[in-house]
Amino acid sequence: LNIAAADVIVCVGNGIKGAESLGRYRRLAELLGGKLACTRPVFDRGLLPFKLVIGQSGVVVKPRLYLCFGVSGAVNHVTGVSAELFVAVNSDPDAQIFNFCDYGVVGDMDVICDYMIAELLKRKGAAQE
């Protein structure tokens, strides 16, 4: 669970519907060879442990790829992230997180995550053939 040393981080924010949704984000992190992390509100809701919190009140990270879903972009979170490539997914086109990321995707976080998983599995299957 040491996220500080991870090259790839998939972070979930308060936009996550609940614990039942965590599996897809864990799977995406696994397929990318990375770790799952969260924002402080996700910890406050009891969905993930404190050692996975990124930001001023948690861990400062410097991954190669930082992929976040449903993260609003609060300053106390983004000050804890320094990534080579920062990608954000949020359903709100005016979310603050889009001011900090390299690439932003506006859409339903679960749908986008499922699409990414399907594409990675498709490519992995093609590579094995």
Side-chain angles (χ1 to χ4, degrees):
L1 295 177
N2 181 11
I3 59 173
D7 279 340
V8 176
I9 295 176
V10 173
C11 182
V12 292
N14 210 28
I16 194 161
K17 294 173 181 77
E20 68 281 357
S21 296
L22 286 172
R24 66 175 36 99
Y25 298 97
R26 277 193 183 98
R27 179 70 174 137
L28 180 60
E30 173 187 292
L31 287 169
L32 293 170
K35 304 279 185 184
L36 180 66
C38 67
T39 61
R40 179 63 188 251
V42 173
F43 161 74
D44 290 342
R45 288 169 54 193
L47 299 178
L48 288 170
F50 183 76
K51 57 186 152 191
L52 297 181
V53 173
I54 291 175
Q56 285 178 334
S57 63
V59 178
V60 174
V61 296
K62 296 180 180 184
R64 187 176 38 79
L65 171 62
Y66 183 75
L67 182 56
C68 66
F69 293 84
V71 174
S72 66
V75 172
N76 61 345
H77 174 74
V78 295
T79 56
V81 179
S82 176
E84 288 179 35
L85 181 60
F86 189 141
V87 180
V89 177
N90 197 299
S91 61
D92 178 3
D94 297 319
Q96 289 180 8
I97 196 70
F98 294 129
N99 295 319
F100 301 98
C101 65
D102 296 305
Y103 296 98
V105 178
V106 176
D108 181 283
M109 61 189 274
D110 289 346
V111 171
I112 305 272
C113 182
D114 289 344
Y115 176 79
M116 288 179 169
I117 290 169
E119 284 298 309
L120 287 166
L121 289 173
K122 189 186 321 178
R123 291 169 193 242
K124 185 178 179 181
Q128 291 177 351
E129 291 178 5

